Structures are given as structure tokens and as C-alpha cells.
Amino acid sequence: TILPHIRGEAQRERLVCLDSVDSTNNYAKALAVNGGADGTAIVADEQTGGRGRLGRSFLSPKGKGIYLTLLYRPDIPPARAVTLTAYAAVAVCDGIEAAAGVRPGVKWTNDIVLGGRKLSGILTEMSVEGETGALQYIIAGIGLNVNHAPEDFPPEVRDMATSLAMQLGHPVARGRLCACVINALEDMYAAWLTGGGDYWERYREGCLTLGRTVRLIRGTRTEEAFAEDIDRDFGLIVRHPD
């Protein structure tokens, strides 16, 4: 159901579809170590050990969402890799808009939000060679809630999470949606490698965090600040009370 909507023949050849896996990010890491090609996309119908940022779990029930990881091997300094998550966030919004006709916003830095609730998250990881400091690979994992009903979410996140089906009022074809996201990520990667495209402008325009009071968490210390802007490295510029 995904292949007919994938735009390029090369991308079709680099697509790996799995019925079930612990984590598509883990699968991508193993693939990278064994010579997996730049631009390989891994998608699973279910994850038994999906992960989010800071080691949080990401519920990935069978037949409900899109669990997707892209493996990249860019020839760039590791410091440049930090912007990939933001570029990918714009691309995920592009793919959702192309397939479902609605455009989510982005909660800085990696949460995709629709109707005030979290629709998708992005977890980017990379490997750097210890001796040379050379970047070996980057993986961008995307978990997207598609046909979940409220009861598919655990009680602790039910008030914060949503799905496309919940927002639109009808089921969404996951195969076409997944292909649209992969196509958008293909465009994004080409632009990201050269620093081209209007991804910074569109990220800034769609960032729901701006103009709000945010909590800054540093270790055990929490403080409030006002989110004013996004810098060219996709860092959040905040104003403190002083």
C-alpha cells in the first residue's frame, strides 16, 4: 500500500517494511552498522519497544499508526546534524498536509501538534566515530498517530495525544500517508544537505511555541521565560523576566 505512492524508483528500492519490530530506530542502527544505504526508510506496522526523547516510551499499537525511521549518511561535520530534527518536522507536516489536507504545527523542537494535542514525535540519533570525530550515520525516527481512537492511548497521555482520525472524523489511509511523508523527507534531505529551501522560514511560521511562556528545565531547576523567536540553527530564543 506504500509503494504505489512512493515517487522515485531509488526510494522504492530503499524501503524496508516490517510487520513488527522492537523499534524502527534500533533496526536502522543495526542496518547502518551492516552497510545500510543512505536514504533507507524502515517502516513497521507495530513497535513493541518504541521510544521517544529522554528514554520515554512511545506506544505503537499494530495497525494504528506510522512508525518510520530514515537512515542517513551525510558527509558533514557532526555539529551540523543538530538541525535535521527541525527540517524533518517541516517535512512531516508537508507529508500530512499532502495526504490529509490539514497542516499541523510544531511545538519546539520535535513535537507535531494538531488541535492542541500531540500528533507525532521525532527522535533523531546519530553515531560519531570516537577516534576521528567523523559522523557515521544519523537516523530520524517518526511516530505518527493515524487511526487511533481515544481508548488506544494510555490514561496518562489520553488528554494530551490525538490522531488524524480523531481530528478529521474519519480513518486515514496509512499507506498513502506514509508514502507522502517519505516523499517529503526525500525532498527535505536534499535541501538539508545544501542548506537550501525555506525550511527555517516555514518552521518559524509553524512553531506554536513562539509567543508563549515556556518552562526551561535545567537539571532539577525550572524557570519560566517567554519564547520570542527561532534562530538560524533552530534554537529557541527566550526572554527572561530580567
Side-chain angles (χ1 to χ4, degrees), residues 1-2 16-21 24 42-48 59-68 144 147-148 174-175 178:
T1 61
I2 299 172
V16 178
C17 295
L18 306 170
D19 182 55
S20 181
V21 70
T24 53
I42 300 103
V43 61
D45 195 37
E46 173 191 41
Q47 291 185 127
T48 58
L59 190 68
S60 315
K62 188 175 184 65
K64 297 289 184 177
I66 289 173
Y67 318 117
L68 169 69
L144 173 55
N147 290 325
H148 297 64
R174 288 187 303 144
C178 186

PDB file of all heavy atoms in Angstrom, residues 1-2 16-21 24 42-48 59-68 144 147-148 174-175 178:
ATOM      1  N   THR A   1       0.810  -1.220   0.000  1.00  0.00           N
ATOM      2  CA  THR A   1       0.000   0.000   0.000  1.00  0.00           C
ATOM      3  C   THR A   1       0.844   1.272   0.000  1.00  0.00           C
ATOM      4  O   THR A   1       0.332   2.344  -0.271  1.00  0.00           O
ATOM      5  CB  THR A   1      -0.941   0.036   1.220  1.00  0.00           C
ATOM      6  OG1 THR A   1      -0.154   0.023   2.414  1.00  0.00           O
ATOM      7  CG2 THR A   1      -1.891  -1.159   1.225  1.00  0.00           C
ATOM      8  N   ILE A   2       2.116   1.151   0.332  1.00  0.00           N
ATOM      9  CA  ILE A   2       3.009   2.314   0.350  1.00  0.00           C
ATOM     10  C   ILE A   2       3.663   2.520  -1.017  1.00  0.00           C
ATOM     11  O   ILE A   2       3.701   3.629  -1.546  1.00  0.00           O
ATOM     12  CB  ILE A   2       4.106   2.147   1.430  1.00  0.00           C
ATOM     13  CG1 ILE A   2       3.480   2.030   2.819  1.00  0.00           C
ATOM     14  CG2 ILE A   2       5.086   3.311   1.394  1.00  0.00           C
ATOM     15  CD1 ILE A   2       4.469   1.675   3.902  1.00  0.00           C
ATOM     16  N   VAL A  16      12.125  -0.586   3.484  1.00  0.00           N
ATOM     17  CA  VAL A  16      12.055  -1.830   4.253  1.00  0.00           C
ATOM     18  C   VAL A  16      10.758  -1.812   5.053  1.00  0.00           C
ATOM     19  O   VAL A  16      10.539  -0.904   5.862  1.00  0.00           O
ATOM     20  CB  VAL A  16      13.258  -1.969   5.215  1.00  0.00           C
ATOM     21  CG1 VAL A  16      13.138  -3.247   6.040  1.00  0.00           C
ATOM     22  CG2 VAL A  16      14.577  -1.935   4.451  1.00  0.00           C
ATOM     23  N   CYS A  17       9.876  -2.781   4.823  1.00  0.00           N
ATOM     24  CA  CYS A  17       8.593  -2.880   5.523  1.00  0.00           C
ATOM     25  C   CYS A  17       8.608  -4.068   6.467  1.00  0.00           C
ATOM     26  O   CYS A  17       8.911  -5.189   6.056  1.00  0.00           O
ATOM     27  CB  CYS A  17       7.447  -3.008   4.522  1.00  0.00           C
ATOM     28  SG  CYS A  17       7.216  -1.563   3.472  1.00  0.00           S
ATOM     29  N   LEU A  18       8.256  -3.825   7.720  1.00  0.00           N
ATOM     30  CA  LEU A  18       8.276  -4.864   8.750  1.00  0.00           C
ATOM     31  C   LEU A  18       6.896  -5.004   9.373  1.00  0.00           C
ATOM     32  O   LEU A  18       6.184  -4.008   9.566  1.00  0.00           O
ATOM     33  CB  LEU A  18       9.286  -4.504   9.844  1.00  0.00           C
ATOM     34  CG  LEU A  18      10.718  -4.188   9.390  1.00  0.00           C
ATOM     35  CD1 LEU A  18      11.516  -3.627  10.550  1.00  0.00           C
ATOM     36  CD2 LEU A  18      11.376  -5.441   8.821  1.00  0.00           C
ATOM     37  N   ASP A  19       6.531  -6.235   9.699  1.00  0.00           N
ATOM     38  CA  ASP A  19       5.262  -6.463  10.383  1.00  0.00           C
ATOM     39  C   ASP A  19       5.353  -5.987  11.831  1.00  0.00           C
ATOM     40  O   ASP A  19       4.466  -5.291  12.326  1.00  0.00           O
ATOM     41  CB  ASP A  19       4.903  -7.948  10.320  1.00  0.00           C
ATOM     42  CG  ASP A  19       3.571  -8.233  10.982  1.00  0.00           C
ATOM     43  OD1 ASP A  19       2.570  -7.602  10.584  1.00  0.00           O
ATOM     44  OD2 ASP A  19       3.519  -9.060  11.914  1.00  0.00           O
ATOM     45  N   SER A  20       6.438  -6.344  12.514  1.00  0.00           N
ATOM     46  CA  SER A  20       6.619  -5.973  13.907  1.00  0.00           C
ATOM     47  C   SER A  20       8.106  -5.872  14.203  1.00  0.00           C
ATOM     48  O   SER A  20       8.906  -6.632  13.662  1.00  0.00           O
ATOM     49  CB  SER A  20       5.969  -7.010  14.831  1.00  0.00           C
ATOM     50  OG  SER A  20       6.115  -6.639  16.188  1.00  0.00           O
ATOM     51  N   VAL A  21       8.477  -4.928  15.062  1.00  0.00           N
ATOM     52  CA  VAL A  21       9.874  -4.748  15.445  1.00  0.00           C
ATOM     53  C   VAL A  21       9.895  -4.072  16.808  1.00  0.00           C
ATOM     54  O   VAL A  21       8.907  -3.428  17.202  1.00  0.00           O
ATOM     55  CB  VAL A  21      10.614  -3.884  14.389  1.00  0.00           C
ATOM     56  CG1 VAL A  21      10.148  -2.430  14.427  1.00  0.00           C
ATOM     57  CG2 VAL A  21      12.126  -3.970  14.543  1.00  0.00           C
ATOM     58  N   THR A  24      11.933   0.847  15.196  1.00  0.00           N
ATOM     59  CA  THR A  24      12.495   1.084  13.870  1.00  0.00           C
ATOM     60  C   THR A  24      13.837   1.807  13.966  1.00  0.00           C
ATOM     61  O   THR A  24      14.699   1.619  13.109  1.00  0.00           O
ATOM     62  CB  THR A  24      11.522   1.894  12.987  1.00  0.00           C
ATOM     63  OG1 THR A  24      11.131   3.096  13.664  1.00  0.00           O
ATOM     64  CG2 THR A  24      10.284   1.079  12.641  1.00  0.00           C
ATOM     65  N   ILE A  42      12.715   2.673   6.906  1.00  0.00           N
ATOM     66  CA  ILE A  42      12.219   1.480   7.580  1.00  0.00           C
ATOM     67  C   ILE A  42      10.871   1.813   8.189  1.00  0.00           C
ATOM     68  O   ILE A  42      10.745   2.773   8.960  1.00  0.00           O
ATOM     69  CB  ILE A  42      13.184   1.006   8.689  1.00  0.00           C
ATOM     70  CG1 ILE A  42      14.563   0.681   8.106  1.00  0.00           C
ATOM     71  CG2 ILE A  42      12.628  -0.196   9.420  1.00  0.00           C
ATOM     72  CD1 ILE A  42      15.595   1.742   8.369  1.00  0.00           C
ATOM     73  N   VAL A  43       9.841   1.058   7.834  1.00  0.00           N
ATOM     74  CA  VAL A  43       8.506   1.293   8.379  1.00  0.00           C
ATOM     75  C   VAL A  43       7.962  -0.004   8.956  1.00  0.00           C
ATOM     76  O   VAL A  43       8.179  -1.078   8.388  1.00  0.00           O
ATOM     77  CB  VAL A  43       7.557   1.879   7.308  1.00  0.00           C
ATOM     78  CG1 VAL A  43       7.380   0.928   6.139  1.00  0.00           C
ATOM     79  CG2 VAL A  43       6.212   2.238   7.903  1.00  0.00           C
ATOM     80  N   ALA A  44       7.294   0.086  10.102  1.00  0.00           N
ATOM     81  CA  ALA A  44       6.755  -1.100  10.765  1.00  0.00           C
ATOM     82  C   ALA A  44       5.278  -0.902  11.067  1.00  0.00           C
ATOM     83  O   ALA A  44       4.823   0.219  11.330  1.00  0.00           O
ATOM     84  CB  ALA A  44       7.522  -1.386  12.058  1.00  0.00           C
ATOM     85  N   ASP A  45       4.525  -2.007  11.043  1.00  0.00           N
ATOM     86  CA  ASP A  45       3.107  -1.963  11.383  1.00  0.00           C
ATOM     87  C   ASP A  45       2.911  -1.896  12.897  1.00  0.00           C
ATOM     88  O   ASP A  45       1.851  -1.504  13.372  1.00  0.00           O
ATOM     89  CB  ASP A  45       2.412  -3.207  10.815  1.00  0.00           C
ATOM     90  CG  ASP A  45       0.905  -3.067  10.802  1.00  0.00           C
ATOM     91  OD1 ASP A  45       0.414  -1.950  10.531  1.00  0.00           O
ATOM     92  OD2 ASP A  45       0.215  -4.068  11.052  1.00  0.00           O
ATOM     93  N   GLU A  46       3.967  -2.273  13.635  1.00  0.00           N
ATOM     94  CA  GLU A  46       3.883  -2.291  15.095  1.00  0.00           C
ATOM     95  C   GLU A  46       5.285  -2.169  15.670  1.00  0.00           C
ATOM     96  O   GLU A  46       6.252  -2.681  15.103  1.00  0.00           O
ATOM     97  CB  GLU A  46       3.251  -3.607  15.559  1.00  0.00           C
ATOM     98  CG  GLU A  46       3.252  -3.819  17.063  1.00  0.00           C
ATOM     99  CD  GLU A  46       2.862  -5.240  17.448  1.00  0.00           C
ATOM    100  OE1 GLU A  46       3.314  -6.186  16.762  1.00  0.00           O
ATOM    101  OE2 GLU A  46       2.108  -5.402  18.422  1.00  0.00           O
ATOM    102  N   GLN A  47       5.405  -1.468  16.802  1.00  0.00           N
ATOM    103  CA  GLN A  47       6.648  -1.461  17.583  1.00  0.00           C
ATOM    104  C   GLN A  47       6.340  -1.994  18.974  1.00  0.00           C
ATOM    105  O   GLN A  47       5.355  -1.597  19.593  1.00  0.00           O
ATOM    106  CB  GLN A  47       7.213  -0.044  17.712  1.00  0.00           C
ATOM    107  CG  GLN A  47       7.758   0.549  16.430  1.00  0.00           C
ATOM    108  CD  GLN A  47       8.408   1.906  16.685  1.00  0.00           C
ATOM    109  OE1 GLN A  47       9.537   2.150  16.314  1.00  0.00           O
ATOM    110  NE2 GLN A  47       7.665   2.814  17.313  1.00  0.00           N
ATOM    111  N   THR A  48       7.183  -2.880  19.441  1.00  0.00           N
ATOM    112  CA  THR A  48       6.977  -3.422  20.782  1.00  0.00           C
ATOM    113  C   THR A  48       7.797  -2.681  21.830  1.00  0.00           C
ATOM    114  O   THR A  48       7.590  -2.880  23.028  1.00  0.00           O
ATOM    115  CB  THR A  48       7.349  -4.912  20.818  1.00  0.00           C
ATOM    116  OG1 THR A  48       8.717  -5.068  20.400  1.00  0.00           O
ATOM    117  CG2 THR A  48       6.447  -5.715  19.893  1.00  0.00           C
ATOM    118  N   LEU A  59       3.982   4.508  22.639  1.00  0.00           N
ATOM    119  CA  LEU A  59       3.060   3.413  22.368  1.00  0.00           C
ATOM    120  C   LEU A  59       2.833   3.279  20.860  1.00  0.00           C
ATOM    121  O   LEU A  59       2.517   4.264  20.192  1.00  0.00           O
ATOM    122  CB  LEU A  59       1.734   3.668  23.078  1.00  0.00           C
ATOM    123  CG  LEU A  59       0.739   2.506  23.097  1.00  0.00           C
ATOM    124  CD1 LEU A  59       1.279   1.370  23.968  1.00  0.00           C
ATOM    125  CD2 LEU A  59      -0.608   2.975  23.630  1.00  0.00           C
ATOM    126  N   SER A  60       2.991   2.065  20.344  1.00  0.00           N
ATOM    127  CA  SER A  60       2.954   1.852  18.890  1.00  0.00           C
ATOM    128  C   SER A  60       2.087   0.649  18.545  1.00  0.00           C
ATOM    129  O   SER A  60       2.569  -0.375  18.083  1.00  0.00           O
ATOM    130  CB  SER A  60       4.384   1.631  18.360  1.00  0.00           C
ATOM    131  OG  SER A  60       5.287   2.562  18.896  1.00  0.00           O
ATOM    132  N   PRO A  61       0.757   0.741  18.752  1.00  0.00           N
ATOM    133  CA  PRO A  61      -0.108  -0.419  18.535  1.00  0.00           C
ATOM    134  C   PRO A  61      -0.212  -0.813  17.070  1.00  0.00           C
ATOM    135  O   PRO A  61      -0.131   0.030  16.171  1.00  0.00           O
ATOM    136  CB  PRO A  61      -1.466   0.048  19.077  1.00  0.00           C
ATOM    137  CG  PRO A  61      -1.431   1.540  18.981  1.00  0.00           C
ATOM    138  CD  PRO A  61       0.001   1.918  19.231  1.00  0.00           C
ATOM    139  N   LYS A  62      -0.419  -2.079  16.835  1.00  0.00           N
ATOM    140  CA  LYS A  62      -0.476  -2.639  15.488  1.00  0.00           C
ATOM    141  C   LYS A  62      -1.659  -2.058  14.707  1.00  0.00           C
ATOM    142  O   LYS A  62      -2.773  -1.959  15.210  1.00  0.00           O
ATOM    143  CB  LYS A  62      -0.593  -4.163  15.571  1.00  0.00           C
ATOM    144  CG  LYS A  62      -0.458  -4.879  14.232  1.00  0.00           C
ATOM    145  CD  LYS A  62      -0.458  -6.381  14.438  1.00  0.00           C
ATOM    146  CE  LYS A  62      -0.227  -7.126  13.145  1.00  0.00           C
ATOM    147  NZ  LYS A  62       1.110  -6.877  12.582  1.00  0.00           N
ATOM    148  N   GLY A  63      -1.376  -1.678  13.464  1.00  0.00           N
ATOM    149  CA  GLY A  63      -2.427  -1.257  12.555  1.00  0.00           C
ATOM    150  C   GLY A  63      -2.999   0.120  12.806  1.00  0.00           C
ATOM    151  O   GLY A  63      -3.986   0.497  12.166  1.00  0.00           O
ATOM    152  N   LYS A  64      -2.397   0.890  13.697  1.00  0.00           N
ATOM    153  CA  LYS A  64      -2.973   2.183  14.074  1.00  0.00           C
ATOM    154  C   LYS A  64      -2.187   3.381  13.559  1.00  0.00           C
ATOM    155  O   LYS A  64      -2.767   4.381  13.140  1.00  0.00           O
ATOM    156  CB  LYS A  64      -3.090   2.287  15.598  1.00  0.00           C
ATOM    157  CG  LYS A  64      -4.007   1.271  16.239  1.00  0.00           C
ATOM    158  CD  LYS A  64      -5.457   1.567  15.928  1.00  0.00           C
ATOM    159  CE  LYS A  64      -6.390   0.620  16.654  1.00  0.00           C
ATOM    160  NZ  LYS A  64      -7.812   0.945  16.419  1.00  0.00           N
ATOM    161  N   GLY A  65      -0.851   3.299  13.628  1.00  0.00           N
ATOM    162  CA  GLY A  65      -0.042   4.471  13.326  1.00  0.00           C
ATOM    163  C   GLY A  65       0.974   4.227  12.239  1.00  0.00           C
ATOM    164  O   GLY A  65       0.981   3.187  11.566  1.00  0.00           O
ATOM    165  N   ILE A  66       1.851   5.208  12.072  1.00  0.00           N
ATOM    166  CA  ILE A  66       3.007   5.081  11.182  1.00  0.00           C
ATOM    167  C   ILE A  66       4.247   5.150  12.058  1.00  0.00           C
ATOM    168  O   ILE A  66       4.439   6.116  12.808  1.00  0.00           O
ATOM    169  CB  ILE A  66       3.028   6.189  10.118  1.00  0.00           C
ATOM    170  CG1 ILE A  66       1.901   5.954   9.109  1.00  0.00           C
ATOM    171  CG2 ILE A  66       4.376   6.243   9.405  1.00  0.00           C
ATOM    172  CD1 ILE A  66       1.728   7.080   8.118  1.00  0.00           C
ATOM    173  N   TYR A  67       5.074   4.119  11.971  1.00  0.00           N
ATOM    174  CA  TYR A  67       6.311   4.034  12.749  1.00  0.00           C
ATOM    175  C   TYR A  67       7.437   3.914  11.729  1.00  0.00           C
ATOM    176  O   TYR A  67       7.636   2.857  11.121  1.00  0.00           O
ATOM    177  CB  TYR A  67       6.244   2.849  13.709  1.00  0.00           C
ATOM    178  CG  TYR A  67       4.874   2.748  14.379  1.00  0.00           C
ATOM    179  CD1 TYR A  67       4.057   1.637  14.184  1.00  0.00           C
ATOM    180  CD2 TYR A  67       4.387   3.805  15.151  1.00  0.00           C
ATOM    181  CE1 TYR A  67       2.804   1.566  14.763  1.00  0.00           C
ATOM    182  CE2 TYR A  67       3.129   3.744  15.729  1.00  0.00           C
ATOM    183  CZ  TYR A  67       2.335   2.621  15.532  1.00  0.00           C
ATOM    184  OH  TYR A  67       1.076   2.551  16.090  1.00  0.00           O
ATOM    185  N   LEU A  68       8.159   4.987  11.553  1.00  0.00           N
ATOM    186  CA  LEU A  68       9.043   5.158  10.396  1.00  0.00           C
ATOM    187  C   LEU A  68      10.393   5.702  10.837  1.00  0.00           C
ATOM    188  O   LEU A  68      10.459   6.613  11.662  1.00  0.00           O
ATOM    189  CB  LEU A  68       8.384   6.137   9.412  1.00  0.00           C
ATOM    190  CG  LEU A  68       9.194   6.672   8.249  1.00  0.00           C
ATOM    191  CD1 LEU A  68       9.488   5.580   7.224  1.00  0.00           C
ATOM    192  CD2 LEU A  68       8.437   7.834   7.574  1.00  0.00           C
ATOM    193  N   LEU A 144       3.788   8.537  14.222  1.00  0.00           N
ATOM    194  CA  LEU A 144       2.645   9.358  13.830  1.00  0.00           C
ATOM    195  C   LEU A 144       1.351   8.618  14.166  1.00  0.00           C
ATOM    196  O   LEU A 144       1.124   7.498  13.702  1.00  0.00           O
ATOM    197  CB  LEU A 144       2.729   9.658  12.326  1.00  0.00           C
ATOM    198  CG  LEU A 144       1.572  10.373  11.642  1.00  0.00           C
ATOM    199  CD1 LEU A 144       1.241  11.688  12.330  1.00  0.00           C
ATOM    200  CD2 LEU A 144       1.916  10.624  10.173  1.00  0.00           C
ATOM    201  N   ASN A 147      -4.798   6.284  13.022  1.00  0.00           N
ATOM    202  CA  ASN A 147      -6.173   5.815  13.207  1.00  0.00           C
ATOM    203  C   ASN A 147      -6.473   5.398  14.644  1.00  0.00           C
ATOM    204  O   ASN A 147      -7.353   4.572  14.896  1.00  0.00           O
ATOM    205  CB  ASN A 147      -6.466   4.667  12.231  1.00  0.00           C
ATOM    206  CG  ASN A 147      -6.554   5.165  10.802  1.00  0.00           C
ATOM    207  OD1 ASN A 147      -7.035   6.266  10.540  1.00  0.00           O
ATOM    208  ND2 ASN A 147      -6.082   4.363   9.859  1.00  0.00           N
ATOM    209  N   HIS A 148      -5.769   5.987  15.572  1.00  0.00           N
ATOM    210  CA  HIS A 148      -6.024   5.723  16.987  1.00  0.00           C
ATOM    211  C   HIS A 148      -7.372   6.320  17.406  1.00  0.00           C
ATOM    212  O   HIS A 148      -7.745   7.408  16.977  1.00  0.00           O
ATOM    213  CB  HIS A 148      -4.948   6.373  17.865  1.00  0.00           C
ATOM    214  CG  HIS A 148      -3.565   5.867  17.655  1.00  0.00           C
ATOM    215  ND1 HIS A 148      -2.882   6.015  16.471  1.00  0.00           N
ATOM    216  CD2 HIS A 148      -2.707   5.242  18.512  1.00  0.00           C
ATOM    217  CE1 HIS A 148      -1.673   5.495  16.589  1.00  0.00           C
ATOM    218  NE2 HIS A 148      -1.543   5.012  17.809  1.00  0.00           N
ATOM    219  N   ARG A 174      -3.239   4.705   5.691  1.00  0.00           N
ATOM    220  CA  ARG A 174      -1.873   4.811   6.221  1.00  0.00           C
ATOM    221  C   ARG A 174      -0.812   4.654   5.133  1.00  0.00           C
ATOM    222  O   ARG A 174       0.233   5.289   5.199  1.00  0.00           O
ATOM    223  CB  ARG A 174      -1.643   3.760   7.315  1.00  0.00           C
ATOM    224  CG  ARG A 174      -2.385   4.054   8.614  1.00  0.00           C
ATOM    225  CD  ARG A 174      -1.987   3.096   9.716  1.00  0.00           C
ATOM    226  NE  ARG A 174      -2.230   1.723   9.299  1.00  0.00           N
ATOM    227  CZ  ARG A 174      -1.447   0.696   9.628  1.00  0.00           C
ATOM    228  NH1 ARG A 174      -0.348   0.881  10.347  1.00  0.00           N
ATOM    229  NH2 ARG A 174      -1.746  -0.529   9.228  1.00  0.00           N
ATOM    230  N   GLY A 175      -1.061   3.794   4.149  1.00  0.00           N
ATOM    231  CA  GLY A 175      -0.064   3.576   3.103  1.00  0.00           C
ATOM    232  C   GLY A 175       0.240   4.845   2.330  1.00  0.00           C
ATOM    233  O   GLY A 175       1.401   5.213   2.133  1.00  0.00           O
ATOM    234  N   CYS A 178       1.966   7.426   4.634  1.00  0.00           N
ATOM    235  CA  CYS A 178       3.368   7.083   4.859  1.00  0.00           C
ATOM    236  C   CYS A 178       4.212   7.450   3.647  1.00  0.00           C
ATOM    237  O   CYS A 178       5.305   8.012   3.781  1.00  0.00           O
ATOM    238  CB  CYS A 178       3.490   5.599   5.172  1.00  0.00           C
ATOM    239  SG  CYS A 178       5.160   5.076   5.639  1.00  0.00           S
TER     240      CYS A 178
END
